[in-house]
Amino acid sequence: MADSTESDAASSNERDSESHSTVRNVVLVVLDTARAKSSGPKTSPTLTRLADEGTAFTNAFATAPWTLPSHASMFTGTYSSEHGTHGGHTYLDEGLRTLAESFADSGYETIGVSNNTWITEEFGFDRGFDELRKGWQYIQSDADMGAVVRGEDLREKLDATRNRLFDGNPVVNAANILYSEVLQPAGDDGSDRSTTWVANWLAERDADDPFFLFCNFIEPHVEYDPPREYAERFLPEGASYEEAAAIRQDPRAFDCEDYELTDRDFALLRGLYRAELAYVDDQLGQLRTALEESGEWEDTLFVVCGDHGEHIGEHGFFGHQYNLYDTLINVPLVFHGGPFTDGGERDDLVQLLDLPATLLETAGIDDPELLEQGSSRSLHPDSTAPPRDAVFAEYVAPQPSIERLEARFGDIPDRVREYDRRLRAVRTREYKYVRGDDGFERLHDVTTDPNERDDIAAEEPEQVRTLQRRLEEQFEPLEDADATGTVEMREGTKERLADLGYL
């Protein structure tokens, strides 16, 4: 009996050692605009396989409904009002420590591949990266023509071209604009070139250092233009690729009632969106293959998430601005490798800002400065961090601003003017409460109303008060916030934003 007990204890200690084992490399892949409700075996078989082999978090939430503030939270472990990066202030504060800086200081080679023009050195996201590649550039250049790509219409694109063409080498800049606006292959927004580059980089590197690799794949983002063979798998019966491709995709124009979309239009758009998820999922598979062929897969923590979701007709919206419904903040999150192997599903409430603490603990990195600046909690299976009983999200300032919409459309509908507000949300397992600095509020019982259709704030005033207190415990009272949702800009930021057409 004693021998059996000692054997059991030894096995237990061995298991504990394995569960605490660190990994050599860390790869973080963001599927831009991937929402949880559309991810699954049909659209995302590669991600599903990763989840089956690793750990899937089924209640993962972004801190914001669009790219810039969401990535800032992932990189720093802070909420939008803490990192101050949003539609009114688009630069990541240099005083905040980033995930890439932590890995770099721990001896990692740090590589970033961004296909979203917000995630560049122009907005402070290059800190800590040995190299941060821009997927929309045909020729890698420090002069970034991303403002052209971000232009809402032809006028903004032409203005950005005129303002930026001679910033550096005009020939290189012209080539990059021509590539991003005209010559980029149909059906691919950079993920194929990115996975090819990563595969070549992995095959050629001879460094002994571990690496941290960040990739942003933007295909699920508007405009949805998947390859025909993908689209035809997901379009409604009887619909043609040509019919779907002819639908105007201009979310801000739709918001401002510049054109209409029918229920059939949205059904077709949802088919295109699902096809984009399927296409980028195949690219995710290519990235895994590259890691396997380079011999790095078994020693790598591989993490995949969406940075925010998307409305495709839900709640009368198209795109991912102006609100905090779960359609925009509930995202897929999957871990594979290290202690997250054969971990099954976890349904605890988690946030994307939990990534820094989780990645660092799994890699065996101690960085008090990064962890103490924010609210990141490790999701490591053996973490001692307390589980969350609520998650939070913020929409600090409209993007694009109401003034920018007026410059483009002239008179805009009153319902759009209502979006000129600051929003905060708190979500528990039972309730979701959203409050605006203009007095707007909604309460939903997410157990019986997961699609957030029925506002029950008037019927449950005590629950409203309770969750309002939770918001004020997490953040300062909204009544004390600047009504515009802006923060004081650092020196030079106003000039940068003016150059980009935001001021």
Side-chain angles (χ1 to χ4, degrees):
M1 180 70 70
D3 290 343
S4 174
T5 302
E6 290 174 5
S7 176
D8 290 345
S11 297
S12 175
N13 289 336
E14 184 177 338
R15 286 194 300 271
D16 288 345
S17 176
E18 289 175 353
S19 66
H20 277 93
S21 64
T22 59
V23 294
R24 171 176 164 81
N25 312 306
V26 175
V27 175
L28 172 60
V29 181
V30 175
L31 305 181
D32 205 297
T33 320
R35 61 188 193 180
K37 68 177 293 182
S38 295
S39 302
K42 290 185 178 180
T43 58
S44 313
T46 301
L47 187 61
T48 300
R49 178 186 172 195
L50 286 167
D52 290 342
E53 298 173 356
T55 303
F57 290 84
T58 58
N59 277 316
F61 292 85
T63 61
W66 67 288
T67 292
L68 188 77
S70 182
H71 276 73
S73 291
M74 284 189 275
F75 280 21
T76 66
T78 59
Y79 289 101
S80 296
S81 58
E82 295 171 333
H83 59 61
T85 312
H86 51 72
H89 180 272
T90 55
Y91 195 79
L92 182 61
D93 196 306
E94 292 177 353
L96 290 169
R97 185 162 173 79
T98 69
L99 190 57
E101 287 177 314
S102 184
F103 278 109
D105 290 345
S106 299
Y108 282 65
E109 185 177 4
T110 52
I111 301 294
V113 181
S114 173
N115 287 285
N116 189 308
T117 62
W118 286 110
I119 310 306
T120 66
E121 71 275 9
E122 186 170 10
F123 302 104
F125 286 89
D126 62 322
R127 296 205 310 278
F129 285 106
D130 297 323
E131 182 175 3
L132 180 58
R133 291 181 61 83
K134 307 177 185 74
W136 57 95
Q137 287 191 347
Y138 184 71
I139 304 170
Q140 291 294 304
S141 170
D142 290 338
D144 186 11
M145 298 297 105
V148 179
V149 181
R150 288 190 299 275
E152 291 277 343
D153 58 6
L154 181 60
R155 178 188 60 81
E156 287 193 357
K157 289 179 180 292
L158 290 174
D159 286 346
T161 299
R162 184 175 59 252
N163 292 336
R164 291 300 182 92
L165 184 61
F166 294 96
D167 181 7
N169 187 324
V171 176
V172 170
N173 294 342
N176 283 331
I177 292 171
L178 184 64
Y179 175 77
S180 65
E181 297 300 310
V182 179
L183 300 179
Q184 186 162 289
D188 185 90
D189 293 321
S191 63
D192 182 65
R193 290 180 74 230
S194 297
T195 53
T196 299
W197 183 88
V198 170
N200 291 335
W201 170 74
L202 286 169
E204 295 169 2
R205 74 186 297 267
D206 55 6
D208 293 328
D209 294 336
F211 61 80
F212 169 63
L213 172 65
F214 161 76
C215 295
N216 172 290
F217 294 155
I218 201 173
E219 272 73 11
H221 197 288
V222 164
E223 292 182 1
Y224 318 135
D225 60 345
R228 176 189 289 267
E229 61 269 28
Y230 286 83
E232 291 176 344
R233 287 163 45 191
F234 293 97
L235 290 175
E237 187 175 353
S240 70
Y241 175 76
E242 288 75 15
E243 180 187 6
I247 298 172
R248 184 180 178 187
Q249 296 188 43
D250 191 338
R252 302 293 76 81
F254 173 76
D255 291 338
C256 292
E257 300 177 359
D258 195 52
Y259 77 110
E260 295 182 355
L261 291 169
T262 66
D263 289 344
R264 178 171 176 79
D265 290 335
F266 276 124
L268 294 173
L269 289 172
R270 281 191 287 273
L272 293 178
Y273 173 77
R274 287 163 59 83
E276 291 281 32
L277 289 175
Y279 177 77
V280 80
D281 184 77
D282 279 352
Q283 297 298 323
L284 191 65
Q286 293 298 317
L287 187 57
R288 173 177 181 162
T289 297
L291 287 161
E292 289 173 337
E293 292 180 347
S294 66
E296 300 287 2
W297 177 252
E298 296 299 328
D299 296 321
T300 295
L301 174 65
F302 194 77
V303 183
V304 185
C305 66
D307 62 337
H308 56 77
E310 184 83 319
H311 280 133
I312 316 172
E314 295 88 355
H315 304 287
F317 287 98
F318 180 26
H320 47 267
Q321 297 293 350
Y322 306 130
N323 56 79
L324 292 172
Y325 288 108
D326 276 8
T327 326
L328 297 191
I329 61 173
N330 184 203
V331 295
L333 176 61
V334 173
F335 285 72
H336 182 285
F340 296 98
T341 302
D342 298 325
E345 287 190 353
R346 284 175 52 179
D347 67 354
D348 41 326
L349 293 170
V350 301
Q351 304 232 234
L352 293 186
L353 59 71
D354 293 327
L355 286 172
T358 309
L359 302 190
L360 295 186
E361 180 171 358
T362 308
I365 296 173
D366 184 27
D367 190 341
E369 182 182 354
L370 175 57
L371 299 181
E372 291 172 7
Q373 74 185 5
S375 305
S376 192
R377 299 186 187 184
S378 175
L379 307 179
H380 191 289
D382 298 319
S383 172
T384 58
R388 296 186 182 277
D389 62 353
V391 291
F392 301 87
E394 298 177 278
Y395 189 59
V396 176
Q399 167 55 38
S401 67
I402 300 303
E403 292 76 17
R404 192 173 169 203
L405 293 177
E406 288 176 328
R408 180 181 173 191
F409 298 105
D411 290 336
I412 60 176
D414 289 340
R415 87 173 190 110
V416 175
R417 292 188 183 281
E418 292 177 358
Y419 306 152
D420 192 10
R421 60 189 170 205
R422 183 174 189 170
L423 293 176
R424 286 175 174 160
V426 54
R427 192 190 191 283
T428 67
R429 287 188 173 274
E430 296 80 24
Y431 290 97
K432 168 86 168 289
Y433 175 66
V434 183
R435 182 173 179 81
D437 62 356
D438 60 351
F440 169 88
E441 65 178 2
R442 287 182 69 91
L443 177 70
H444 301 278
D445 183 334
V446 293
T447 62
T448 60
D449 179 29
N451 294 319
E452 301 170 88
R453 293 194 177 102
D454 302 319
D455 177 16
I456 58 171
E459 291 94 86
E460 299 205 32
E462 184 55 39
Q463 191 61 238
V464 167
R465 285 191 288 271
T466 297
L467 293 178
Q468 184 178 342
R469 284 195 296 271
R470 287 297 304 270
L471 282 177
E472 293 184 353
E473 289 169 1
Q474 182 66 43
F475 311 107
E476 78 275 8
L478 272 171
E479 289 76 12
D480 294 340
D482 181 346
T484 66
T486 61
V487 297
E488 187 62 30
M489 296 184 187
R490 301 181 312 125
E491 269 314 300
T493 301
K494 289 185 178 180
E495 180 180 349
R496 182 184 302 110
L497 295 181
D499 287 345
L500 291 169
Y502 291 105
L503 293 177

